[in-house]
Amino acid sequence: MDNIDLASEAVKAMANSYSPYSQFKVGAAILTEAGNIYSGCNVENISFGLTICAERNAIVQAVAAEGPGMKLKEVVVTNHNEEGVSGACSPCGACRQFMLEFSDQDTKVTYPGENGNVETTAEKLLPNSFRF
């Protein structure tokens, strides 16, 4: 799988975002070590603490399908606001920790930055994270 396939899946998932409070749609697509693609979108709640991010939504679907041994190979995130404009938006701290739970040091993460897409690893996104 290449990044273009995952980006397309992230855009498709973003279209289903439930974001009536922020009008900020986010989509994510992941590739697992098993070669499967899963996608998710953000789902807001009026009680903002109950909102689930697109990245965690996709990862939860992967674990449900592949089981607790699921490992991430790559994560791609996309977004746009109510005008359809994409903006810089890195994964939040909760998503970074969640990604690391199912990653190794080489898991690739791509997200919109101020000057185009940023490509990094889950490990670099959250140094000194909680790890077993």
Side-chain angles (χ1 to χ4, degrees):
M1 274 304 134
D2 62 25
N3 202 19
I4 295 171
D5 294 324
L6 289 179
S8 174
E9 292 301 311
V11 168
K12 282 193 242 176
M14 180 178 61
N16 290 329
S17 167
Y18 178 74
S19 47
Y21 308 106
S22 71
Q23 281 77 52
F24 190 73
K25 297 177 179 290
V26 181
I30 63 172
L31 174 64
T32 67
E33 290 289 344
N36 299 312
I37 295 175
Y38 301 92
S39 60
C41 60
N42 60 320
V43 179
E44 294 181 349
N45 188 281
I46 197 163
S47 173
F48 281 111
L50 298 178
T51 295
I52 185 166
C53 299
E55 299 92 328
R56 287 182 281 148
N57 190 332
I59 293 168
V60 166
Q61 291 186 55
V63 172
E66 294 186 19
M70 185 281 298
K71 290 293 180 197
L72 295 169
K73 183 171 184 177
E74 186 172 355
V75 178
V76 174
V77 184
T78 191
N79 69 67
H80 68 71
N81 62 21
E82 61 186 350
E83 287 86 35
V85 177
S86 181
C89 183
S90 67
C92 73
C95 286
R96 291 173 188 217
Q97 184 63 55
F98 212 82
M99 283 188 269
L100 279 171
E101 187 77 16
F102 301 98
S103 294
D104 62 28
Q105 63 190 32
D106 296 324
T107 299
K108 182 178 171 184
V109 180
T110 304
Y111 61 89
E114 290 192 25
N115 298 312
N117 283 339
V118 174
E119 292 185 8
T120 188
T121 65
E123 187 78 26
K124 288 180 183 173
L125 274 175
L126 192 61
N128 303 313
S129 62
F130 293 103
R131 299 296 294 252
F132 284 110

